[in-house]
Amino acid sequence: MTQRVLTTESGAPVADNQNSATAGVGGPILLQDQHLLEKLARFNRERIPERVVHARGSGAYGYFEVTDDVTAFTRADFLSEVGRRTETFIRFSTVADSLGGADAVRDPRGFALKFYTDEGNYDLVGNNTPVFFIKDPIKFPDFIHSQKRDPFTGRQEPDNVWDFWAHAPEATHQVTWLMGDRGIPASYRHMNGYGSHTYQWTNAAGEAFFVKYHFKTNQGVRSLSAEQAAELVGKDANSHQTDLLQAIERGVHPSWTLYVQIMSAAEAADYRFNPFDLTKVWPHADHPLQRVGRLVLDRNPDNVFAEVEQAAFSPNNFVPGIGPSPDKMLQGRLFAYADAHRYRLGVNHTQLPVNAPRTAVVDNYGRDGLHATRNGSRHDKNYEPNSYAGPSQTDAALSAPLAIHGWTGTHAAPAHTKDDDFFQAGELYRLMSEDEKGRLVANIAGGLSQVTRDDVIEKNLAHFHAADADYGRRVEEAVRALRED
């Protein structure tokens, strides 16, 4: 086999990769040692800014296969035929901790899925819970600051976590999810995924429907207790990454079945609670799950940095037949996610291999910028319209228009007849077995009892009392017992 030659970034052969150039034997290093300076400069720049949220993640490639006909509801091409397969890339993640954080912690999990469709990339950016802590994006930076490391102590502080939740009664539903048995998944393979937001589907006739996505794990839901998680973190802080990597490498391909809930636009206008409120679920009795297809993961990335850290997902990457809803949190993320990637990876991050379309042709007037690889030739114009046969618009909207009315301003969410911050949290509690309730109460009390301010504790207890009388009583008694010890 011919020996490969080590080169510099410019392609020149490297004579010595073991010793720096010096002024004589044992002398000081020379500034002219281009290879040394290039290696050190590149090493200093190997890291890019980590994600503010979802920093710690794992990824895998796979495919999505349509198993059921949904053409009555959407004209999305990749969903147009039973048996059709579309290549995908998924990134799982924790939310609050940094890139060096542990996997087996009590935290929501990101479930971000990229479909490489013939009509462009479609990104579905969700979590492993069907709801979230807040309903308006203006509160997102405040929420994340309360969950992140404190500027003074450098650690997550119960005072900050529970103080924010005390002032956000709508968080009670998600807190009940997080502190319950599914708060620490056993692995990424053993958890469900949800689009969480409400999205719009539009069929070929132009009819609009609102949908929620549910990816049900075919491995079965498995979770860890707080004690099991603490033990696992001590053994392998990268436990979820290890599990996913090894499963796929040995040919065990994890899969999920995709279901959707569908609501007509007419029903959404007069539903008993706001169907676009991210802190609420749609009861399955009203809108049963309808199967769409299956997601299978069958290939690991070759390079975690290039394909997981540089993977960029944005919920504004839609394809014809799929679009946004009036969900305020979704509306905020349509901007925030793409902006985060422009900051971290540059304006041309969509040209990186993991983010570039696989089968769709990119043809637009975007030019220049850092790391641009697609600038066109002397014959290509960078403006539109033009007289040189450049790409032009289709005049075909990707999704149906959303009706709007009223006055501009900073409005509270519209009130529906049954809007309530606590009812669904109580419903979730009442669905739990007695053992599940006991663990939920213990998890909440373990954190809330560490809060130093009595008024913050009382505000949070009021939320659990409002959700369910038994729920509130048991949490209050457990907190009192722990504080008296």
Side-chain angles (χ1 to χ4, degrees), residues 431-446:
L431 283 173
M432 296 179 180
S433 68
E434 191 59 32
D435 286 345
E436 288 174 319
K437 289 177 181 177
R439 290 188 291 269
L440 169 67
V441 169
N443 290 333
I444 293 173

Side-chain angles (χ1 to χ4, degrees), residues 265-337:
E267 184 177 5
D270 196 32
Y271 198 55
R272 63 180 181 277
F273 58 82
N274 183 358
F276 311 114
D277 181 348
L278 185 55
T279 67
K280 293 182 173 61
V281 298
W282 296 354
H284 290 189
D286 292 352
H287 302 281
L289 297 180
Q290 301 187 44
R291 194 177 65 178
V292 180
R294 67 185 184 119
L295 170 69
V296 179
L297 305 183
D298 59 5
R299 179 166 65 90
N300 284 311
D302 291 324
N303 185 291
V304 171
F305 175 78
E307 300 167 87
V308 180
E309 282 311 296
Q310 292 195 133
F313 300 84
S314 178
N316 64 9
N317 287 340
F318 293 114
V319 292
I322 304 177
S325 78
D327 180 337
K328 292 181 76 172
M329 283 297 294
L330 173 60
Q331 292 286 324
R333 284 174 169 155
L334 296 180
F335 163 76
Y337 274 61

Side-chain angles (χ1 to χ4, degrees), residues 378-456:
R378 70 175 70 182
H379 305 294
D380 296 313
K381 302 303 178 182
N382 65 346
Y383 59 87
E384 195 278 338
N386 61 61
S387 303
Y388 296 85
S392 58
Q393 66 196 43
T394 66
D395 292 323
L398 269 64
S399 57
L402 298 171
I404 60 172
H405 63 277
W407 300 92
T408 60
T410 53
H411 305 291
H416 291 234
T417 56
K418 297 294 183 180
D419 269 335
D420 179 275
D421 287 330
F422 307 110
F423 177 75
Q424 289 199 351
E427 288 282 275
L428 179 58
Y429 175 80
R430 290 184 285 274
L431 283 173
M432 296 179 180
S433 68
E434 191 59 32
D435 286 345
E436 288 174 319
K437 289 177 181 177
R439 290 188 291 269
L440 169 67
V441 169
N443 290 333
I444 293 173
L448 189 54
S449 63
Q450 299 178 55
V451 174
T452 59
R453 289 184 50 160
D454 291 343
D455 62 322
V456 172

Side-chain angles (χ1 to χ4, degrees), residues 19-35:
N19 304 287
S20 303
T22 59
V25 177
I29 288 175
L30 297 176
L31 187 62
Q32 72 182 41
D33 190 342
Q34 182 261 353
H35 180 52

Side-chain angles (χ1 to χ4, degrees), residues 68-319:
D68 294 79
D69 184 5
V70 291
T71 55
F73 306 106
T74 179
R75 62 185 177 92
D77 182 63
F78 78 101
L79 298 175
S80 63
E81 183 181 355
V82 172
R84 183 163 184 173
R85 289 188 176 184
T86 300
E87 185 181 0
T88 61
F89 181 78
I90 194 167
R91 186 176 186 272
F92 303 106
S93 57
T94 54
V95 175
D97 212 345
S98 60
L99 184 58
D103 285 343
V105 294
R106 189 171 298 279
D107 198 16
R109 299 299 190 277
F111 194 98
L113 185 60
K114 187 182 299 290
F115 299 83
Y116 299 102
T117 88
D118 292 346
E119 296 182 305
N121 289 350
Y122 172 46
D123 289 351
L124 181 58
V125 185
N127 285 328
N128 72 325
T129 59
V131 294
F132 197 60
F133 298 92
I134 54 176
K135 62 180 72 175
D136 193 302
I138 203 168
K139 297 306 300 175
F140 189 74
D142 301 298
F143 165 63
I144 295 300
H145 288 164
S146 75
Q147 310 297 301
K148 284 283 193 177
R149 297 175 186 269
D150 182 85
F152 172 64
T153 66
R155 65 178 191 175
Q156 189 182 60
E157 290 293 346
D159 275 356
N160 300 345
V161 170
W162 289 95
D163 185 39
F164 182 88
W165 288 342
H167 292 88
E170 70 271 25
T172 308
H173 192 187
Q174 173 72 318
V175 169
T176 305
W177 273 91
L178 178 63
M179 296 299 173
D181 280 359
R182 296 193 182 188
I184 313 178
S187 78
Y188 290 133
R189 296 184 296 129
H190 294 93
M191 68 181 194
N192 293 336
Y194 302 88
S196 301
H197 296 291
T198 301
Y199 293 90
Q200 186 202 70
W201 276 5
T202 307
N203 65 16
E207 297 174 297
F209 303 87
F210 293 112
V211 301
K212 283 186 176 289
Y213 295 91
H214 301 250
F215 288 86
K216 299 290 188 178
T217 175
N218 294 325
Q219 292 69 238
V221 172
R222 286 178 49 202
S223 303
L224 302 173
S225 68
E227 295 75 21
Q228 290 171 323
E231 181 180 356
L232 182 57
V233 167
K235 292 179 179 178
D236 181 7
N238 306 305
S239 57
H240 288 27
Q241 163 70 12
T242 301
D243 176 85
L244 183 66
L245 174 75
Q246 293 182 351
I248 295 175
E249 285 297 292
R250 66 177 185 266
V252 178
H253 298 158
S255 65
W256 287 258
T257 300
L258 172 61
Y259 300 88
V260 294
Q261 290 178 284
I262 300 175
M263 180 185 294
S264 69
E267 184 177 5
D270 196 32
Y271 198 55
R272 63 180 181 277
F273 58 82
N274 183 358
F276 311 114
D277 181 348
L278 185 55
T279 67
K280 293 182 173 61
V281 298
W282 296 354
H284 290 189
D286 292 352
H287 302 281
L289 297 180
Q290 301 187 44
R291 194 177 65 178
V292 180
R294 67 185 184 119
L295 170 69
V296 179
L297 305 183
D298 59 5
R299 179 166 65 90
N300 284 311
D302 291 324
N303 185 291
V304 171
F305 175 78
E307 300 167 87
V308 180
E309 282 311 296
Q310 292 195 133
F313 300 84
S314 178
N316 64 9
N317 287 340
F318 293 114
V319 292

